[in-house]
């Protein structure tokens, strides 16, 4: 069975946010993504489907909130929690 | 309701009479009228120090919030004209707008200030994110107030029109107050209301959020930009802030219906849900209405040149989820007529005469000549009418129905086609939520969003029953979501880009 390291997922997430969503601007894990004005609602939706595919988790609408999607760090924490929940 | 002489007077009035009343709430942090008024004075003092004169045009480019609202009032208080620009716009677009407006100063938050650094000298740039020092305004302002008049320009809103060249729409204190008084009365606003501030300041619907709220002594609930992109957070904020009057583009409401987790929300505080700027899909409004049991629903219509000037009002019982929403009846103080002929046409261009109408486009005499015409009103008196460019017809019950844009009428193989009519036919299909139609390389191409598993053949057969054969799109594409402009409207330029990409592929 193929078992990718979570680190690889996080790396892919950083890469996706910086290259695809922010057109090459670099951001730290703690930087507020949605206040920058550079990500529109289409961007949020592509971010959500990227998270679903990369981490192989489902992201229900009610979880697409500022607490969960605000920064790269909160997204990583959210994905980890969802993965754990699935493992239980 | 108070009767201020100038747009910026309401905040000072309430700061004197109800200093502790909440003027602003940003994610639960409340600013009272007294505190807001002092912040306005501090920024105004800084503007006077920099040498702002009455009539100076001043760019305001910032995220929403306390500072943004204080800054626009400060500009007005010293007799300036505020020109709000889209804080998310690319530098090139901003440069184009700046060259049309030729502002004397720029007020921006720290992240936005760099956009202007190359073009303006440092004394012309003011960072509103800073802490402004305490100011005693009485002496400095005393000689300025008597020289101000309701005929002074108050704000200029930029639009890009069909040619892409920016136009500045100039509103005076008089036209701005006419809009503000009308809309506040229409919504029966009181000091107990909590009013959403969803619209960015460069879009005319924000005039309601800011000035109607303060005219009524109510509380302006700021919705930070990030929340407008996260429907589940947006609906949560509406619940937590107990918003009683909601005003936004339909898109925000559609998003909450589709992804806003509304089943988990309590929106009982909503007593008015008002929307404008685009066509609201009847099915989305009906779905939303089920979560807003105490609300009345208002479809507001009006171009930026006149702002909100007709309204259709709906109760829950009126919303069947399929009938397209009319734009309703002209508001108090608004005279409408259809077409320029002596006998009113049944279908034609909507013309508007009102104190709400702009004073004109900035430095554009040709545009102004084309925009206005003088015609007799109902009593035969000659009046100046603004030509909206929107085609309307009157329903049997007298309500106005928007048919489409004059400039959205295309000719194809000799046939005249209203692209808006094609869009309406698409939206009327049960499975379709939103639709946009463009003319691309001599063919009508449609883009639509809707339920998963939409049957395009069925849609096409549907269209063939309501549209003439030449108006049925030659291609229909389903999108996950519509591309949007910064004001939340469907971005048709981006759709042309998608069509181009499809052809290249």
């Amino acid at each position: 069975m193929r078992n990718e390291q979570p680190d690889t997922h996080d790396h892919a997430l950083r890469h996706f946010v910086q290259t695809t969503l922010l057109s090459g601007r670099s951001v730290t894990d703690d930087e507020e993504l949605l206040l920058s004005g550079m990500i529109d609602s289409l961007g949020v939706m592509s971010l959500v489907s990227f998270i679903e595919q990369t981490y192989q988790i489902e992201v229900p609408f009610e979880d697409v909130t500022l607490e969960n999607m605000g920064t790269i760090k909160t997204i990583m924490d959210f994905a980890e929690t969802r993965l754990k929940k699935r493992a239980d | 309701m108070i009767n201020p002489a100038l747009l910026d007077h309401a905040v000072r009035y309430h700061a004197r009479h109800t200093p502790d009343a909440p003027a602003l709430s940003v994610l639960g942090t409340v600013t009272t009228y007294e505190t807001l008024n002092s912040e306005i004075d501090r920024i105004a003092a800084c503007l006077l120090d920099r040498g702002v004169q009455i009539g100076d045009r001043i760019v305001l480019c910032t995220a929403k919030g306390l500072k943004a609202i204080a800054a626009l009032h400060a500009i007005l208080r010293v007799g300036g004209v505020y020109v709000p620009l889209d804080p998310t716009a690319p530098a090139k677009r901003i440069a184009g707008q700046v060259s049309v407006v030729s502002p004397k100063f720029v007020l921006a938050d720290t992240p936005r200030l760099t956009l202007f650094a190359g073009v303006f000298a440092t004394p012309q740039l003011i960072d509103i994110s800073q802490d402004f020092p305490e100011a005693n305004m009485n002496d400095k302002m005393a000689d300025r107030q008597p020289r101000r008049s309701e005929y002074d320009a108050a704000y200029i809103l930029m639009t890009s029109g069909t040619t892409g060249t920016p136009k500045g729409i100039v509103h005076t204190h008089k036209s701005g107050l006419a809009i503000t008084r009308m809309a506040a009365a229409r919504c029966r606003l009181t000091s107990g209301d909590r009013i959403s501030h969803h619209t960015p300041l460069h879009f005319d619907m924000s005039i309601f959020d800011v000035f109607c709220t303060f005219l009524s002594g109510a509380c302006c609930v700021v919705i930070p930009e990030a929340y407008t992109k996260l429907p589940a957070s947006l609906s949560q904020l509406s619940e937590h802030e107990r918003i009683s009057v909601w005003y936004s583009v339909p898109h925000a409401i559609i998003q909450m219906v589709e992804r806003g987790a509304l089943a988990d929300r309590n929106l009982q505080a909503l007593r008015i849900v008002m929307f404008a700027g685009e066509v609201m899909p009847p099915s989305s409004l009906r779905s939303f209405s089920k979560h807003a049991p105490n609300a009345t629903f208002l479809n507001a219509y009006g171009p930026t040149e006149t702002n909100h000037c007709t309204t259709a009002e709906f109760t829950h019982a009126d919303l069947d989820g399929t009938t397209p929403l009319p734009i309703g009846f002209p508001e108090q103080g608004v005279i409408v007529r259809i077409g320029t002929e002596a006998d009113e046409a049944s279908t034609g261009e909507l013309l508007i005469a009102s104190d709400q109408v702009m004073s004109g486009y900035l430095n554009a005499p040709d545009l102004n000549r084309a925009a206005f015409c003088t015609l007799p009103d109902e009593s035969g008196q000659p009046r100046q009418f603004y030509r909206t460019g929107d085609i309307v017809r009157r329903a049997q019950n007298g309500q106005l129905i928007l048919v489409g844009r004059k400039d959205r009428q295309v000719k194809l193989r000799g046939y005249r086609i209203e692209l808006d009519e094609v869009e309406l036919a698409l939206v009327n299909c049960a499975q379709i939520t939103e639709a946009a139609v463009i003319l691309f390389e001599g063919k009508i191409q449609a883009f639509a969003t809707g339920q998963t598993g939409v049957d395009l053949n069925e849609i096409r057969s549907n269209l063939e029953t309501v549209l003439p054969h030449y108006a049925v799109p030659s291609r229909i594409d389903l999108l996950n979501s519509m591309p949007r402009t910064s004001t939340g409207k469907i971005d048709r330029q981006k759709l042309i880009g998608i069509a181009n990409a499809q052809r290249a592929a």
Side-chain angles (χ1 to χ4, degrees):
Chain A
M1 204 174 83
R2 197 161 132 261
N3 187 10
E4 282 182 55
Q5 294 297 307
D7 281 0
T8 320
H9 299 333
D10 295 347
H11 183 76
L13 174 68
R14 286 191 195 97
H15 183 78
F16 175 80
V17 169
Q18 296 186 4
T19 359
T20 309
L21 292 183
L22 298 177
S23 331
R25 200 171 73 110
S26 62
V27 284
T28 62
D29 286 357
D30 292 322
E31 206 168 321
E32 185 51 64
L33 296 175
L34 295 156
L35 297 177
S36 69
M38 288 183 72
I39 302 177
D40 60 9
S41 44
L42 278 184
V44 171
M45 285 164 81
S46 70
L47 175 63
V48 169
S49 62
F50 179 85
I51 295 164
E52 290 185 327
Q53 282 163 26
T54 308
Y55 292 92
Q56 293 290 305
I57 53 172
E58 222 180 292
V59 184
F61 297 146
E62 59 267 26
D63 284 348
V64 185
T65 59
L66 207 55
E67 294 90 79
N68 295 333
M69 302 292 144
T71 67
I72 289 176
K73 175 84 166 54
T74 61
I75 295 171
M76 295 188 305
D77 292 347
F78 168 75
E80 196 182 330
T81 315
R82 295 288 294 187
L83 281 168
K84 258 194 207 135
K85 222 183 253 171
R86 201 177 53 184
D88 290 344
Chain B
M1 188 103 45
I2 59 169
N3 189 20
L6 296 168
L7 268 174
D8 49 297
H9 283 180
V11 171
R12 184 177 285 149
Y13 174 91
H14 294 298
R16 280 193 194 128
H17 292 86
T18 50
D20 298 328
L24 213 65
S25 176
V26 185
L27 303 179
T29 304
V30 172
T31 304
T32 64
Y33 272 95
E34 186 177 37
T35 308
L36 173 62
N37 191 54
S38 315
E39 182 66 18
I40 295 169
D41 270 346
R42 284 192 287 270
I43 303 176
C46 168
L47 296 179
L48 289 179
D49 283 345
R50 296 283 179 106
V52 172
Q53 299 299 312
I54 290 177
D56 279 355
R57 293 190 283 273
I58 303 178
V59 159
L60 181 63
C61 190
T62 168
K64 280 179 276 182
L66 164 64
K67 290 284 194 169
I69 285 173
L72 76 84
H73 274 85
I75 293 170
L76 295 176
R77 198 167 272 187
V78 299
V81 184
Y82 82 89
V83 187
L85 298 186
D86 178 1
T88 66
K92 210 175 145 192
R93 185 178 170 83
I94 285 187
Q97 294 177 329
V98 163
S99 72
V100 169
V101 173
S102 49
K104 291 271 178 61
F105 297 89
V106 173
L107 268 64
D109 52 4
T110 310
R112 251 56 62 161
L113 209 63
T114 53
L115 286 169
F116 302 90
V119 190
F120 291 86
T122 311
Q124 294 173 288
L125 298 173
I126 297 163
D127 186 346
I128 59 166
S129 308
Q130 67 177 292
D131 288 330
F132 289 89
E134 210 50 56
N136 183 349
M137 291 293 290
N138 294 337
D139 302 340
K140 289 177 186 165
M141 294 295 292
D143 71 312
R144 189 155 287 202
Q145 294 310 312
R147 292 191 282 133
R148 297 179 58 201
S149 126
E150 63 173 351
Y151 297 101
D152 291 347
Y155 54 93
I156 299 177
L157 300 171
M158 306 304 295
T159 64
S160 59
T162 41
T163 56
T165 317
K167 290 190 283 190
I169 294 168
V170 183
H171 277 280
T172 60
H173 284 268
K174 188 180 164 75
S175 65
L177 273 171
I179 295 157
T180 302
R181 288 195 190 100
M182 178 283 294
R186 184 66 179 78
C187 295
R188 293 181 297 278
L189 300 183
T190 70
S191 58
D193 273 312
R194 301 177 60 81
I195 298 164
S196 71
H197 175 23
H198 182 276
T199 307
L201 291 173
H202 64 283
F203 193 19
D204 69 337
M205 290 164 63
S206 67
I207 297 300
F208 179 90
D209 306 351
V210 176
F211 295 112
C212 290
T213 302
F214 296 151
L215 185 72
S216 320
C219 180
C220 173
V221 178
V222 175
I223 299 177
E225 280 75 358
Y227 285 75
T228 65
K229 293 155 198 150
L230 301 165
S233 290
L234 186 58
S235 60
Q236 200 169 42
L237 186 147
S238 185
E239 175 180 336
H240 287 167
E241 288 276 16
R242 291 172 288 109
I243 289 175
S244 61
V245 178
W246 179 272
Y247 189 32
S248 75
V249 285
H251 178 54
I253 295 168
I254 297 168
Q255 280 204 312
M256 283 196 279
V257 167
E258 290 179 350
R259 301 182 282 123
L262 288 179
D264 305 333
R265 302 287 181 262
N266 176 351
L267 301 181
Q268 293 195 19
L270 281 175
R271 65 173 192 85
I272 285 185
V273 174
M274 185 160 72
F275 42 88
E278 256 194 330
V279 175
M280 167 65 96
S283 56
S284 302
L285 182 59
R286 183 173 157 83
S287 303
F288 187 81
S289 70
K290 292 175 182 159
H291 302 280
N294 302 317
T296 303
F297 303 89
L298 302 179
N299 185 21
Y301 159 87
T304 307
E305 285 85 346
T306 70
N307 209 310
H308 173 183
C309 58
T310 77
T311 319
E313 183 169 333
F314 311 94
T315 62
H316 287 82
D318 298 325
L319 301 173
D320 62 12
T322 53
T323 310
L325 307 179
I327 58 171
F329 298 100
E331 281 301 339
Q332 186 85 40
V334 173
I335 298 169
V336 301
R337 54 174 296 156
I338 303 177
T340 54
E341 301 300 317
D343 287 328
E344 207 185 64
S346 60
T347 301
E349 183 177 9
L350 179 65
L351 309 179
I352 290 165
S354 167
D355 283 348
Q356 293 182 200
V357 177
M358 64 167 177
S359 61
Y361 298 111
L362 182 68
N363 301 330
D366 291 348
L367 284 176
N368 286 326
R369 265 191 297 278
F372 293 106
C373 56
T374 302
L375 291 164
D377 65 13
E378 286 152 328
S379 59
Q381 294 296 311
R383 287 205 56 156
Q384 194 183 56
F385 282 82
Y386 168 70
R387 311 181 68 129
T388 64
D390 285 327
I391 307 294
V392 298
R393 66 181 172 83
R394 235 182 251 280
Q396 283 189 336
N397 61 9
Q399 298 219 57
L400 293 168
I401 293 175
L402 191 61
V403 178
R405 282 290 301 168
K406 212 165 98 183
D407 50 20
R408 293 262 294 150
Q409 189 181 71
V410 298
K411 259 202 160 171
L412 198 59
R413 303 189 299 271
Y415 296 113
R416 254 175 39 174
I417 300 168
E418 298 284 355
L419 292 180
D420 293 308
E421 201 183 334
V422 182
E423 286 180 5
L424 196 63
L426 271 161
V427 172
N428 284 347
C429 297
Q431 302 165 306
I432 300 287
T433 309
E434 286 186 290
V437 172
I438 58 171
L439 188 67
F440 183 70
E441 299 193 321
K443 286 182 178 147
I444 296 179
Q445 184 167 350
F447 295 91
T449 63
Q451 300 157 7
T452 45
V454 174
D455 182 351
L456 282 180
N457 288 326
E458 199 185 315
I459 300 290
R460 190 171 289 281
S461 329
N462 254 332
L463 292 182
E464 282 163 357
T465 62
V466 291
L467 291 173
H469 64 92
Y470 50 79
V472 176
S474 49
R475 178 173 178 158
I476 305 174
D477 281 289
L478 287 174
L479 301 176
N480 287 329
S481 59
M482 285 284 174
R484 297 279 164 185
T485 66
S486 66
T487 53
K489 295 192 186 190
I490 292 175
D491 190 337
R492 292 193 166 74
Q493 286 305 314
K494 277 203 183 126
L495 292 176
I496 291 171
I498 295 174
N500 264 316
Q502 285 170 341
R503 189 195 51 185

